Amino acid sequence: MTTFRHYRKIEIVASLVMWVITIGMGVYLAAMWSRIPDIVPTHYGLFGQPDAWGGKTSILGPFLVQVVVMLIDQVALHQAVKSTIKTGLPVMINRNCIVLTGPVIAVIFGWITVGTIGFGKLGKYFIAVAFVLVAVLMAVIVISQKHDAKRMEEFRNRTGYAKEKKRPVREDDTHGIPDMKFQGKVDLWARALVIFVNVMMLWAVFSSLNQGKESMIEIIIVLMVLVIVDLLMVPMCFRNYILLGEQELLIVFGLIKKRIRYSNIELLEETHNPLSSLAMSFDRIYVHTSSGDDVLVAVKEKKAFIEEVYRRAGIF
């Protein structure tokens, strides 16, 4: 209960909103179950019109996904709040991201349930609105990251945090130290997720093959999306490591590269925060920085990695 006392008002409101929507969908499903047709839409085209149908139990799918995502979001928020309490650092990007993610996903999945049951369609603007909501979420994350960097700088100047935790690292301290490579950790669930996404999207393609020429545009778009998704996700499983250089560490995560100077590192915190990150495992390390470059990573040799980064960063 102590952790809940540290929730900000916006976090309490966001949690209430996403759970009210989710529980409301459960009540709506239960109340409407006897009136739901035996055959309901199970797939929609680009403009929200149904193009595949199945038994009414299929409507439970989106709702169950919504419940699972809400649980993950709530756990992530709780972990983020605990991290703030533990470190004392004024870093809010994770918490701000989670605060928006939960209600947005609840609204999107909630409308899928209501649209399917009440109207038999999602509406031609559904996908456009969903993309706008996601774009706004991304913009807020970027803005939050910039604000975090400013807050961290003010915090350091006010408390002398960096001076207490770190000693000055001269170039001679790290000059000549060989680079070290730490292989990223990839859990079974991550590999299974890649396979699942491919199977589901290919199934959608094959199920549309016999629906005439009208479905060809949708098939092409789905295949293009699948290629893009695989180009992003597959390399994350095989090209995943962190290289420790003399003055900075280089995170290589699939096609993504991120550099963080040791002088900007404040703290490495072991965590299982499920928030989206440069990691394919929940056995993670939260890299707190003074530059707003905070990131979650996962490596196989976690203890050795933390010790080596601390040594190179001059953190006691």
Side-chain angles (χ1 to χ4, degrees):
M1 293 299 293
T2 304
T3 304
F4 287 106
R5 296 175 184 173
H6 292 268
Y7 274 46
R8 296 174 296 170
K9 289 183 179 179
I10 190 173
E11 292 166 345
I12 295 174
V13 171
S15 296
L16 288 174
V17 168
M18 71 181 191
W19 283 114
V20 166
I21 294 175
T22 302
I23 294 173
M25 289 303 101
V27 173
Y28 178 68
L29 269 172
M32 295 292 293
W33 189 256
S34 61
R35 286 179 278 179
I36 298 175
D38 292 333
I39 302 298
V40 297
T42 58
H43 187 269
Y44 297 90
L46 292 177
F47 299 103
Q49 297 297 325
D51 54 17
W53 289 262
K56 71 177 184 179
T57 54
S58 61
I59 196 65
L60 295 175
F63 174 69
L64 293 177
V65 171
Q66 180 178 346
V67 172
V68 171
V69 173
M70 294 304 99
L71 288 172
I72 293 174
D73 193 85
Q74 192 68 63
V75 171
L77 176 59
H78 204 68
Q79 289 291 329
V81 174
K82 289 175 67 176
S83 175
T84 302
I85 298 171
K86 180 179 178 181
T87 64
L89 300 178
V91 178
M92 294 295 169
I93 183 171
N94 287 346
R95 293 169 68 169
N96 291 339
C97 175
I98 297 167
V99 161
L100 284 177
T101 301
V104 167
I105 294 178
V107 168
I108 291 174
F109 276 92
W111 179 249
I112 291 175
T113 300
V114 172
T116 300
I117 296 175
F119 305 98
K121 60 182 180 180
L122 299 182
K124 62 180 180 180
Y125 299 115
F126 171 76
I127 293 180
V129 172
F131 271 114
V132 169
L133 290 175
V134 173
V136 170
L137 177 61
M138 295 298 104
V140 171
I141 291 173
V142 172
I143 295 172
S144 179
Q145 188 175 33
K146 292 182 179 180
H147 286 175
D148 269 356
K150 292 180 180 179
R151 279 196 297 265
M152 193 65 209
E153 185 63 28
E154 293 172 356
F155 177 76
R156 294 175 67 197
N157 294 334
R158 184 175 68 254
T159 64
Y161 178 85
K163 295 179 181 178
E164 295 176 4
K165 297 288 184 179
K166 302 172 71 173
R167 62 172 173 79
V169 180
R170 299 173 302 177
E171 188 173 345
D172 293 342
D173 293 338
T174 55
H175 182 69
I177 296 179
D179 294 350
M180 293 186 66
K181 183 177 180 180
F182 288 85
Q183 195 64 39
K185 186 174 183 179
V186 182
D187 285 347
L188 180 61
W189 66 262
R191 301 182 190 277
L193 177 62
V194 174
I195 296 173
F196 175 77
V197 169
N198 277 267
V199 170
M200 291 302 295
M201 297 190 77
L202 288 175
W203 176 81
V205 169
F206 289 131
S207 64
S208 301
L209 288 177
N210 298 323
Q211 296 181 17
K213 296 181 179 180
E214 295 81 5
S215 64
M216 287 307 298
I217 295 178
E218 183 176 343
I219 291 174
I220 292 173
I221 292 176
V222 170
L223 288 175
M224 290 175 62
V225 171
L226 179 60
V227 170
I228 294 173
V229 169
D230 278 345
L231 285 175
L232 291 174
M233 294 186 66
V234 173
M236 292 177 183
C237 294
F238 301 98
R239 191 169 181 262
N240 184 346
Y241 62 88
I242 300 178
L243 185 66
L244 303 186
E246 290 187 359
Q247 299 296 322
E248 64 182 13
L249 61 82
L250 170 65
I251 303 170
V252 178
F253 188 66
L255 302 180
I256 301 171
K257 288 186 178 181
K258 184 179 181 70
R259 298 178 184 273
I260 301 177
R261 294 190 64 82
Y262 297 129
S263 57
N264 292 330
I265 294 177
E266 300 285 353
L267 177 71
L268 299 184
E269 176 193 0
E270 296 185 45
T271 180
H272 291 87
N273 193 328
L275 196 67
S276 178
S277 64
L278 302 184
M280 297 294 271
S281 169
F282 287 136
D283 186 18
R284 299 173 171 180
I285 301 170
Y286 190 157
V287 182
H288 294 272
T289 71
S290 60
S291 56
D293 293 319
D294 292 23
V295 66
L296 289 162
V297 298
V299 294
K300 292 181 178 179
E301 301 174 83
K302 186 165 64 173
K303 297 292 185 183
F305 172 79
I306 293 175
E307 291 177 1
E308 185 60 28
V309 171
Y310 275 172
R311 184 171 76 89
R312 296 182 183 226
I315 299 177
F316 295 107

